[in-house]
DNA sequence: AAAAGCCCCTGGACGC
DNA sequence: TGCGTCCAGGGGCTTT
């Protein structure tokens, strides 16, 4: 999936074409994605106008003038495609493909098509005033790009945790929005082994403090770089407007097993290991 | 309570 | 061209 930077990019793309616009009608092509759609999904959305689009971790929140918010999670393979009116593809309106599960037909003629081959994504409706009360949102940890994250907060959260740093970064209940790619990339930038115990950063020593500071900075930098690059894109995930992202070409370790480390003065070879059933890529030479 | 494992699903890459 | 196998950006639920 789409991790935080890609979701942020999708939000910005949707904001451009949806905010202030009215949803004329909705096509829902199946009863469920990962979970069933909420009752009266199509009729609840029809006729509403989009007020605001925001992001929480990897969730997209679309506030409507009905007082409801459309919550979208892209799972592993969800993506939005924007079909503008006048685009000659209007002739294929009846079929956007076998994985086009939801289509928001905007009053201005734009179709917003949600594709999701693996169907790990989902949509729900909630009251706009109580985003944090939603069962999927209330357990989320802090935003990595917000002011809440600093080395003291990280040290406190990591204190006496026996799991690996990699598993810790992937835990959405601690810091929300980091996925497999950016966990690997952030640890590389921080020079920390993905196998190191999280508790090592929660000690009161000077080195523990420095490590936590480095990791906080690495997380911020890698996410911001990826957002600046328009979100990375690989395989079936595309930016909302269909253009490819470029950050994927900047990965230091992810997907680079057997290739040389790009680190200055480092002759290491990128290694792939499995942690908690997910691939981890790192440089054994410069990540300690 | 914390951590690890299993599973949902489809499709693409690769080996034979 | 056709298998079979492995792998994939997530995360909920179950088991240890």
């Amino acid at each position: 999936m789409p991790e935080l930077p890609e979701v942020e990019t999708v939000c910005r793309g949707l904001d451009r074409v949806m905010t202030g616009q009215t949803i004329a009608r909705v096509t829902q092509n199946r009863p469920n994605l990962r979970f069933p759609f909420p009752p009266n999904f199509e009729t609840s959305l029809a006729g509403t106008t989009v007020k605001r689009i925001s992001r929480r971790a990897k969730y997209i929140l679309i506030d409507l003038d009905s007082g409801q918010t459309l919550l979208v999670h892209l799972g592993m393979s969800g993506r939005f495609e924007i079909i503008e009116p006048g685009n000659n593809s209007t002739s294929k309106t009846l079929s956007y493909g076998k994985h086009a599960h939801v289509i928001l037909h905007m009053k201005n003629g734009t179709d917003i098509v949600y594709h999701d081959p693996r169907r790990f994504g989902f949509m729900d409706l909630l009251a706009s005033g109580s985003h944090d009360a939603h069962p999927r949102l209330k357990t989320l940890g802090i935003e990595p790009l917000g002011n809440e994250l600093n080395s003291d907060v990280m040290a406190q959260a990591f204190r006496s945790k026996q799991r690996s740093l990699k598993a810790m970064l992937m835990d959405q209940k601690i810091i929300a929005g980091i996925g497999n790619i950016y966990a690997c990339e952030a640890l590389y930038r921080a020079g920390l082994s993905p196998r190191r115990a999280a508790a090592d950063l929660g000690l009161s020593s000077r080195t523990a403090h420095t490590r936590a500071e480095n990791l906080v900075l690495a997380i911020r930098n890698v996410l911001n770089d990826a957002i600046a690059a328009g979100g990375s894109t690989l395989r079936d995930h595309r930016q909302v407007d269909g253009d490819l992202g470029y950050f994927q070409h900047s990965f230091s370790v992810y997907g680079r097993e057997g290739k040389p480390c790009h680190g200055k003065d480092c002759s290491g070879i990128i290694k792939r290991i499995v942690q908690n059933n997910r691939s981890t890529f790192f440089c054994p030479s410069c990540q300690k």
Side-chain angles (χ1 to χ4, degrees):
Chain A
M1 140 172 106
E3 301 184 29
L4 186 155
E6 291 75 32
V7 177
E8 179 64 29
T9 300
V10 169
C11 282
R12 292 178 187 184
L14 291 178
D15 178 56
R16 222 166 47 220
V17 296
M18 291 184 78
T19 301
Q21 301 298 321
T22 298
I23 301 169
R25 71 191 168 86
V26 176
T27 302
Q28 178 193 326
N29 288 325
R30 49 175 302 124
N32 64 296
L33 292 172
R34 177 169 189 179
F35 305 118
F37 282 94
N40 309 312
F41 183 69
E42 294 168 294
T43 53
S44 297
L45 295 175
T48 65
T49 297
V50 175
K51 287 170 65 179
R52 180 168 183 265
I53 297 183
S54 56
R55 178 191 60 72
R56 171 75 170 105
K58 303 173 193 173
Y59 290 83
I60 300 165
L61 294 149
I62 303 175
D63 292 342
L64 307 164
D65 68 351
S66 61
Q68 284 192 304
T69 294
L70 170 59
L71 178 71
V72 182
H73 194 288
L74 302 173
M76 292 279 262
S77 59
R79 69 181 174 92
F80 280 101
E81 180 186 22
I82 293 164
I83 309 290
E84 312 237 291
N87 182 325
N88 60 15
S89 51
T90 37
S91 57
K92 58 179 184 183
T93 296
L94 290 180
S95 173
Y96 284 123
K98 63 191 284 199
H99 302 300
H101 307 308
V102 175
I103 303 152
L104 305 176
H105 306 278
M106 307 306 284
K107 200 173 169 184
N108 66 8
T110 298
D111 279 356
I112 313 292
V113 187
Y114 178 74
H115 302 267
D116 191 352
R118 294 176 74 179
R119 305 200 303 273
F120 287 166
F122 60 89
M123 297 190 189
D124 201 1
L125 290 168
L126 60 135
S128 297
S130 54
H131 287 174
D132 294 342
H134 191 278
R136 303 295 165 225
L137 302 182
K138 68 182 178 191
T139 56
L140 291 173
I142 60 177
E143 285 287 324
L145 296 180
N147 294 327
E148 312 90 20
L149 179 63
N150 60 52
S151 57
D152 289 336
V153 167
M154 173 177 276
Q156 181 60 40
F158 285 26
R159 189 158 297 160
S160 48
K161 290 290 192 292
Q162 297 311 304
R163 341 157 56 181
S164 66
L165 282 176
K166 168 75 180 325
M168 206 61 178
L169 293 185
M170 298 276 289
D171 188 339
Q172 304 300 299
K173 295 193 293 300
I174 314 293
I175 302 169
I178 301 170
N180 205 36
I181 291 178
Y182 298 107
C184 293
E185 295 293 317
L187 287 166
Y188 173 79
R189 290 194 184 201
L192 291 166
S193 168
R195 294 196 270 216
R196 178 181 285 280
D200 286 1
L201 275 61
L203 302 173
S204 54
S205 68
R206 181 68 224 168
T207 47
H209 188 66
T210 302
R211 283 173 181 146
E213 272 187 345
N214 288 343
L215 187 51
V216 166
L217 287 175
I219 290 167
R220 283 232 177 82
N221 289 340
V222 76
L223 295 178
N224 280 325
D225 286 354
I227 290 170
S232 63
T233 305
L234 45 140
R235 298 193 180 85
D236 52 3
H237 175 68
R238 293 179 179 213
Q239 266 188 66
V240 72
D241 56 8
D243 286 342
L244 295 175
Y246 290 97
F247 193 74
Q248 54 179 315
H249 303 302
S250 307
F251 292 159
S252 297
V253 288
Y254 188 83
R256 298 194 62 248
E257 181 182 18
K259 301 213 168 84
C261 175
H262 287 154
K264 187 166 160 35
D265 301 327
C266 180
S267 56
I269 300 294
I270 306 306
K271 193 174 172 192
R272 173 184 175 271
I273 58 173
V274 176
Q275 292 178 293
N276 302 92
N277 289 315
R278 308 294 298 272
S279 286
T280 297
F281 298 89
F282 72 111
C283 174
S285 175
C286 62
Q287 290 179 255
K288 299 297 183 189

